Amino acid sequence: KEFEDQGTGEGGMKWLKCFDCGQQFHGAVFLALGWAAWKTYLGRPDTDWNRCASMGVLGSALDENRRHGEALPVITASLALIQRYYPHNDLIIDTQNNAASTLANMGRHEEALVLMRKIHARRVALHGLDIDAILSAFYMAVTMRNLGLFDEAKPFVRDQLLPAARRLLGAESNATLNIYHNLADVLQENPDYTRGDLLEAEIIMQDVIQIRRRVLGPAHPLTHNGEILMNEIREKLADA
């Protein structure tokens, strides 16, 4: 039922997540499914929920495949429809989060961070620091790092975000591992890093990569990204 609405085949999750293994689609497969979702519901009126949601799926797929300039107007259009016809739906905040992420991916970090702060405050006010708030906070922390706000990002991730993620999502969940990865990146990118910061980042990434290899496999993009970061950390350690 997670993948279908009452057996109608209309469920949105089937465009995002594999029914057999439970992993989210990524890369070219996700992009193909994003276009398929949009084409499936294109002929329906603007008021149709699946038409609105399918635009969001396509926008996310374009963004993940580095087609950010194409993704932003699709996500913006999806947001406008949802706000107009479903003004009290929680998907509004999710779609705003996707828009903020795309802005950040386009290098528009200042705009993205302003929007992300509003989204995070709204989520916490409505539901407390729940799973969705943790995910929105993760994107906010990444954008802080991209803007060089290391002194703000480090305690936010280490003292607030990680304890909540471990408690609610588990230490080996994909989201928690992403947060660990971000903390390691913050530690090694800070121009004022110490050798202790680099050693902490190395220990973090050893654990992250080990879990990624076991759960996702060595060829997965997230595993590969972790190995790239580990190499950067060890290069800095060699010179420290």
Side-chain angles (χ1 to χ4, degrees), residues 30 63 82 132 152:
F30 185 27
D63 187 52
I82 296 169
D132 289 332
E152 181 180 4

Side-chain angles (χ1 to χ4, degrees), residues 52 56 74-80 82 90-101 115 119 123:
C52 296
V74 174
I75 294 171
T76 301
S78 173
L79 178 60
I82 296 169
D90 283 346
L91 190 59
I92 289 176
I93 300 179
D94 293 334
T95 309
Q96 288 174 328
N97 202 58
N98 289 342
S101 177
L115 182 54
I119 293 167
R123 284 197 191 280

Side-chain angles (χ1 to χ4, degrees), residues 173-235:
S173 75
N174 186 54
T176 303
L177 293 175
N178 286 340
I179 295 167
Y180 272 115
H181 183 120
N182 182 61
L183 176 57
D185 214 357
V186 167
L187 290 167
Q188 68 92 26
E189 272 197 21
N190 189 340
D192 298 323
Y193 66 75
T194 65
R195 181 172 178 83
D197 290 331
L198 295 178
L199 289 172
E200 181 182 352
E202 182 183 35
I203 291 171
I204 289 171
M205 290 312 301
Q206 283 176 340
D207 291 339
V208 169
I209 292 169
Q210 182 181 33
I211 296 169
R212 296 281 201 210
R213 286 173 176 164
R214 171 165 49 82
V215 176
L216 301 177
H220 195 280
L222 291 176
T223 307
H224 181 60
N225 290 344
E227 292 167 344
I228 291 173
L229 179 57
M230 177 65 92
N231 290 336
E232 293 175 4
I233 293 167
R234 286 178 170 166
E235 286 176 5

Side-chain angles (χ1 to χ4, degrees), residues 72-90:
L72 186 59
V74 174
I75 294 171
T76 301
S78 173
L79 178 60
L81 287 176
I82 296 169
Q83 287 175 321
R84 181 175 181 181
Y85 297 113
Y86 303 91
H88 304 296
N89 195 286
D90 283 346

Side-chain angles (χ1 to χ4, degrees), residues 118-170:
K118 292 179 180 178
I119 293 167
H120 183 63
R122 178 65 173 163
R123 284 197 191 280
V124 173
L126 287 173
H127 307 295
L129 193 57
D130 63 1
I131 292 174
D132 289 332
I134 289 170
L135 297 178
S136 67
F138 165 71
Y139 291 114
M140 189 166 69
V142 171
T143 304
M144 288 178 188
R145 183 204 70 205
N146 290 335
L147 287 170
L149 302 176
F150 302 110
D151 291 338
E152 181 180 4
K154 182 177 173 180
F156 177 67
V157 175
R158 177 188 277 157
D159 302 334
Q160 298 183 45
L161 198 48
L162 265 176
R166 287 195 299 261
R167 184 177 68 254
L168 294 176
L169 300 170

